[in-house]
Amino acid sequence: MLRYQCETNSSYRILIQVSRNSKPTTVILVWMMGANIRVAAGSMDDAYKEIQPLAAIKLLYLNPSQDPVSKAVCKSWERDLAVHHIELLDSDSNQLLHLLAASTQTLAPSLQQLNGFQVGYLRTETKS
């Protein structure tokens, strides 16, 4: 579903929320930017060098608990009717944040942030 939304819209914004004290709390802001990108993936060890392009969705994400500016962006997104809300279990949102952070770490340091957001990607195909 998310891939379809990203392919049919130029961008797609999502608030990832968890239920805390019976109230939805935003834990991650995700801005899907494009579904038709390729990322280089592979191994560069001495014995075997192989880099393959993989299809992925580029996205920007933000943890709104990090600083006051992030919290202000979160409040703005929560009021915006064009932003979609998804409620996950706490463990699932933590796993998603871990996956996003891991994808960010694979990028060159100069490519890891954009306008205060972390840059990441989610693969849409697996390595063969």
Side-chain angles (χ1 to χ4, degrees):
M1 177 189 91
L2 294 177
R3 182 176 179 182
Y4 172 77
Q5 289 296 335
C6 194
E7 288 173 350
T8 57
N9 298 294
S10 59
S11 70
Y12 188 73
R13 294 182 296 158
I14 306 166
L15 291 173
I16 305 295
Q17 299 177 314
V18 297
S19 183
R20 295 193 177 141
N21 300 324
S22 300
K23 180 182 174 201
T25 302
T26 301
V27 292
I28 311 169
L29 287 72
V30 178
W31 193 347
M32 302 173 91
M33 302 299 290
N36 297 321
I37 66 161
R38 295 282 194 197
V39 293
S43 171
M44 289 292 291
D45 62 18
D46 291 337
Y48 186 69
K49 296 179 183 173
E50 181 180 351
I51 301 295
Q52 298 179 29
L54 295 177
I57 297 172
K58 180 181 178 181
L59 48 87
L60 306 178
Y61 67 96
L62 187 64
N63 181 343
S65 64
Q66 292 179 340
D67 60 63
V69 174
S70 301
K71 289 179 183 178
V73 172
C74 181
K75 293 286 184 200
S76 172
W77 280 32
E78 287 174 342
R79 290 188 303 267
D80 190 336
L81 297 177
V83 176
H84 302 272
H85 300 240
I86 297 177
E87 191 166 328
L88 297 177
L89 296 173
D90 222 354
S91 59
D92 293 338
S93 68
N94 288 337
Q95 184 177 10
L96 176 60
L97 191 56
H98 176 74
L99 288 170
L100 294 174
S103 74
T104 299
Q105 294 305 311
T106 65
L107 300 172
S110 63
L111 301 174
Q112 292 181 0
Q113 288 194 13
L114 179 65
N115 295 333
F117 284 82
Q118 297 289 91
V119 177
Y121 64 89
L122 294 176
R123 290 183 185 160
T124 57
E125 65 183 40
T126 57
K127 289 189 242 183
S128 48

